[in-house]
Amino acid sequence: MTSDTQPITTYQNDVTVLANKDVYSMNNILRTAHRFSDLYFIDVQATDGTDVRILLKAKSAAGEEPSSLEGRFLNELLDGKLREIIAEESRLERDVILAHALSRHPVLLKEYEAAEAFTDPVGLLTPDET
Amino acid sequence: MNGLNRSFKGPESYRNGSSYRLLPMKFMRFRDDRYLVTSMGGDYMFLSQTKLNDIVTHKLQQTDTLYPDLLASHLIADDSSTAHLDLLAAKYRTRHSRLPSWTALHMFVTTLRCDHSCQYCQVSRVSEDRESFDMTPAIADRAIGLMFQSPSACLKVEFQGGESLLNFDLVRYIVSEAKRRNDGRQLEFVITTNLANLTEEILSFSEEHGISFSTSLDGPAALHNANRPRPGRDSHAKTEEGIERLRQRLGKDAVSALMTTTAASLDQPERIIDEYVRMGFDSIFLRYISPYGFAVKSSARIGYETKKFVDFFKRGLAYIVDLNRRGIFVRETYTQIVLQKILMPGASGYIDLQSPAGMGISGIVYNYNGEVYSSDEGRMLAEMGDRTFRLGTVHDTYEKLFLDSPLLPMIHESMLEGVPGCTDCALQPYCGSDPVFHHRTQGDFIGHRPTSSFCERNMAIIKHILTLLEDDKETASILKSWL
Ligand code: SF4
């Protein structure tokens, strides 16, 4: 379908996916949508309710089956959810590893060696006062 | 599973309960129900979707057979000691060990003049005008001074062109001066040349100073000569003769060769590889054509879709593995680089597969006219009118070139850790960032990964290599023998 007001040609296999805001973060929705931006033009809109509406418009007529596309998008959203759990749970360890790895000096001090892995006893992660 | 083969497990492996913590990890759907999961240190495992879900939602039991391997691969940690942090940090540090001692590779463009007019190179000038296109000793002096300000303990001087040997007097001058001014670094010299102008004088000097050579060999004579025209149409014969003379004089390993894949190469990987084997090389680099040295109008003739290159690469790699199976030892260089990144702890020296990008950090270019570029590709773009990657000139200070130029923002912007698409990609520890490629093909240093041919090519090749390691034991052992 084309129209004067809509410069993008749309095809029958355009797909709208609804994602529940209470389950999926906007960050996750946007990252997932970006992954599909090779073959689709994407529009993300918040609705009045609990959903975010994601419209995927195929860039060419050879787009995939709508049901398969929708399923793939939902699976990717789920993967994104797992990624968020991992990132959240491992954030402090990641920061300490990076600080330790990229410092010219040993960062893991004696006090730290004896401490719980997910505490920050020597204040590595607190920015210096300026 | 990354070389871990555990027949017996200690008693601690059979405790019940689940009190592990997740460590930073990335994952991607690989194929069917399998996920590739990678750690910050580059360890990898293949897991089913169910298993991955169980791990992330803390449903995995310590009695699970995968548990010790997850610990060993630094995907989870299960005690209060910080040993895993130390280990992981040490791995991460080793992978980035080139950062504190930048810059090891210093490329001197001794001249733009060349006797070839290669299809994929618009940079060189077929001209006798020495004044306009040759580097002068005064410029070389400044460049050598900058080189010795690099903190790197090893300095590799690479002579580039045009045809670098058309200005051999300057090559001789730079080698002598660098040795005279050496303040205790390990110095190495490589001449990149088409070998058409190799003389007795050059051979003697190279023998005396331990200089090695890098040349171009695109395949059998018909293909090579079509890609690399020169008067007399004898580029292939000249190259073969030059390789032979260098080996006789300097030893077998004194010369290496690089090939460029053009559209005409795509249907003959076996013939190209056979030619390398016939000429006595034990490695071949199946190289994608760079989009820098030629105009857009040539790209339709010599360029190709990424998918076609990937098919060519896979077919070539299969043939190389088969040659190894038949007792002919030959390696594919890109596969070797990727394997090192997957299986070895060290840092890769290959500029195009580094994050932060290798430009400036791993290599720097002093152009014939005194301009300084962050990479050879950046220098080629400048010859075509785009000077984005020019850092300054040899008359600038080292600090200005490295700290007060466009270099740091370019490197910072293009780090995979912050690039949309790469942030979540499980191949990140094995991949790299190529700001020049993305600037040239997509208009900015980051690019758009879902449509980037750099991403498409590397994702396909790295996944293929991981698949071979995982699915085919015989091929895996051949590939591992290349390390
Ligand atoms: S360039 Fe592509 S393959 Fe490489 S890390 Fe980024 S997303 Fe992954």
Side-chain angles (χ1 to χ4, degrees):
Chain A
M1 171 199 82
T2 53
S3 78
D4 292 344
T5 52
Q6 200 168 17
I8 298 167
T9 306
T10 60
Y11 299 98
Q12 286 190 334
N13 45 12
D14 294 346
V15 162
T16 299
V17 181
L18 294 177
N20 189 318
K21 281 187 272 196
D22 295 338
V23 180
Y24 303 111
S25 72
M26 203 58 181
N27 186 1
N28 181 8
I29 291 168
L30 292 174
R31 280 171 185 255
T32 302
H34 181 263
R35 219 163 288 136
F36 283 76
S37 60
D38 52 347
L39 300 177
Y40 298 90
F41 297 111
I42 292 159
D43 184 33
V44 180
Q45 301 268 344
T47 64
D48 294 338
T50 54
D51 289 335
V52 174
R53 179 176 290 125
I54 306 114
L55 173 65
L56 297 129
K57 285 171 177 284
K59 287 182 183 176
S60 79
E64 71 186 274
E65 275 294 303
S67 61
S68 145
L69 173 62
E70 184 185 10
R72 211 156 58 81
F73 195 94
L74 290 171
N75 278 348
E76 287 283 349
L77 270 181
L78 197 63
D79 285 354
K81 181 87 186 162
L82 289 190
R83 288 191 180 99
E84 285 184 334
I85 296 172
I86 296 167
E88 181 60 32
E89 188 173 327
S90 62
R91 176 165 296 122
L92 191 60
E93 301 229 6
R94 179 181 176 279
D95 290 347
V96 174
I97 290 162
L98 283 177
H100 182 40
L102 300 179
S103 164
R104 278 186 178 272
H105 305 286
V107 169
L108 293 183
L109 303 179
K110 279 271 176 293
E111 304 88 304
Y112 185 77
E113 301 281 1
E116 288 287 307
F118 31 85
T119 62
D120 183 22
V122 290
L124 283 175
L125 305 174
T126 312
D128 290 339
E129 280 178 18
T130 49
Chain B
M1 219 281 355
N2 209 2
L4 290 171
N5 227 333
R6 291 160 175 265
S7 317
F8 299 101
K9 298 171 179 69
E12 71 283 357
S13 301
Y14 299 96
R15 276 177 304 184
N16 277 320
S18 160
S19 58
Y20 59 87
R21 297 186 307 285
L22 301 177
L23 290 178
M25 66 177 103
K26 298 193 186 300
F27 65 83
M28 73 195 302
R29 279 171 202 265
F30 206 76
R31 55 164 201 243
D32 309 326
D33 174 43
R34 295 210 303 168
Y35 278 72
L36 170 74
V37 189
T38 54
S39 79
M40 256 181 110
D43 311 89
Y44 76 91
M45 286 182 77
F46 283 101
L47 298 170
S48 69
Q49 181 170 17
T50 316
K51 203 58 95 179
L52 178 63
N53 269 309
D54 285 353
I55 293 165
V56 177
T57 53
H58 287 269
K59 292 201 186 105
L60 191 82
Q61 297 296 306
Q62 280 184 319
T63 47
D64 193 293
T65 50
L66 278 179
Y67 197 89
D69 294 334
L70 290 164
L71 285 174
S73 298
H74 302 293
L75 297 170
I76 60 171
D78 76 348
D79 56 36
S80 59
S81 105
T82 59
H84 64 280
L85 284 179
D86 286 320
L87 266 170
L88 209 40
K91 277 192 168 189
Y92 193 88
R93 184 198 275 275
T94 308
R95 281 182 168 261
H96 293 82
S97 57
R98 286 177 190 271
L99 290 179
S101 60
W102 72 8
T103 307
L105 176 63
H106 296 258
M107 289 167 268
F108 289 71
V109 181
T110 58
T111 179
L112 270 201
R113 291 181 296 128
C114 188
D115 53 342
H116 279 60
S117 41
C118 299
Q119 295 211 36
Y120 38 68
C121 174
Q122 281 214 332
V123 170
S124 304
R125 303 284 190 282
V126 180
S127 161
E128 292 306 312
D129 185 357
R130 300 186 74 109
E131 301 265 297
S132 306
F133 298 119
D134 281 14
M135 182 183 273
T136 63
I139 288 174
D141 267 334
R142 297 283 313 176
I144 294 168
L146 289 167
M147 175 174 80
F148 278 112
Q149 288 187 58
S150 156
S152 178
C154 308
L155 297 173
K156 184 174 183 178
V157 177
E158 188 173 295
F159 298 105
Q160 285 278 358
E163 168 46 41
S164 60
L165 288 181
L166 290 180
N167 194 2
F168 177 63
D169 286 346
L170 190 80
V171 170
R172 190 168 28 206
Y173 176 78
I174 293 171
V175 171
S176 307
E177 265 306 286
K179 284 196 160 181
R180 189 184 68 75
R181 287 157 71 171
N182 188 9
D183 54 5
R185 321 291 181 100
Q186 187 187 321
L187 277 180
E188 199 185 321
F189 300 96
V190 182
I191 296 176
T192 301
T193 167
N194 57 40
L195 294 176
N197 304 284
L198 196 63
T199 62
E200 192 50 38
E201 184 192 5
I202 294 169
L203 283 170
S204 298
F205 184 79
S206 304
E207 188 175 24
E208 185 187 340
H209 292 280
I211 298 172
S212 56
F213 288 75
S214 171
T215 194
S216 296
L217 177 64
D218 282 359
L223 175 64
H224 180 98
N225 289 336
N227 282 350
R228 304 178 58 79
R230 79 180 292 276
R233 298 186 181 169
D234 58 353
S235 175
H236 185 272
K238 290 267 182 197
T239 303
E240 184 166 7
E241 181 198 328
I243 290 170
E244 197 46 46
R245 288 175 73 193
L246 283 170
R247 284 182 176 154
Q248 278 176 10
R249 194 66 174 268
L250 308 176
K252 185 170 182 303
D253 296 332
V255 57
S256 59
L258 281 176
M259 61 87 59
T260 299
T261 307
T262 59
S265 319
L266 293 174
D267 63 351
Q268 48 182 319
E270 295 84 2
R271 281 202 287 274
I272 295 168
I273 294 158
D274 283 343
E275 182 68 353
Y276 269 70
V277 172
R278 184 186 73 77
M279 286 213 197
F281 288 106
D282 60 11
S283 67
I284 178 170
F285 193 156
L286 299 174
R287 248 176 12 135
Y288 186 78
I289 197 165
S290 310
Y292 312 114
F294 55 88
V296 174
K297 63 177 163 30
S298 314
S299 68
R301 194 175 68 250
I302 59 176
Y304 37 78
E305 291 162 23
T306 305
K307 190 183 168 317
K308 289 196 172 142
F309 175 78
V310 171
D311 290 344
F312 164 84
F313 183 92
K314 287 183 181 174
R315 191 171 133 190
L317 182 57
Y319 184 65
I320 292 170
V321 167
D322 194 47
L323 288 177
N324 279 265
R325 215 172 265 133
R326 289 190 267 141
I328 299 166
F329 182 76
V330 55
R331 291 163 295 182
E332 198 290 310
T333 304
Y334 200 71
T335 306
Q336 193 186 0
I337 293 164
V338 172
L339 284 169
Q340 277 166 351
K341 297 192 76 142
I342 294 172
L343 299 172
M344 311 275 284
S348 169
Y350 181 64
I351 291 184
D352 293 349
L353 276 186
Q354 293 182 16
S355 176
M359 53 155 57
I361 297 175
S362 292
I364 190 135
V365 181
Y366 309 106
N367 206 6
Y368 70 99
N369 57 2
E371 291 181 323
V372 180
Y373 288 91
S374 57
S375 71
D376 203 30
E377 292 77 12
R379 183 263 301 197
M380 289 183 193
L381 274 192
E383 294 301 339
M384 299 168 73
D386 178 350
R387 291 148 75 90
T388 307
F389 297 91
R390 180 183 180 276
L391 304 183
T393 77
V394 292
H395 302 290
D396 292 321
T397 62
Y398 183 84
E399 289 72 20
K400 178 165 189 313
L401 288 170
F402 281 89
L403 301 177
D404 188 19
S405 73
L407 181 65
L408 290 184
M410 281 174 199
I411 292 172
H412 182 240
E413 249 186 67
S414 60
M415 281 179 69
L416 294 187
E417 289 75 359
V419 169
C422 302
T423 46
D424 292 333
C425 179
L427 302 182
Q428 199 195 94
Y430 318 132
C431 198
S433 129
D434 193 337
V436 192
F437 185 93
H438 287 109
H439 169 78
R440 167 76 168 141
T441 58
Q442 297 193 308
D444 63 45
F445 303 142
I446 298 171
H448 176 245
R449 288 311 201 252
T451 50
S452 151
S453 58
F454 172 91
C455 177
E456 184 186 355
R457 174 165 34 96
N458 280 306
M459 191 173 287
I461 289 176
I462 299 171
K463 282 173 95 169
H464 182 62
I465 293 169
L466 282 163
T467 304
L468 292 177
L469 285 176
E470 190 64 10
D471 289 359
D472 179 347
K473 285 208 160 34
E474 193 194 355
T475 299
S477 77
I478 289 170
L479 295 181
K480 285 175 186 171
S481 76
W482 296 357
L483 296 175

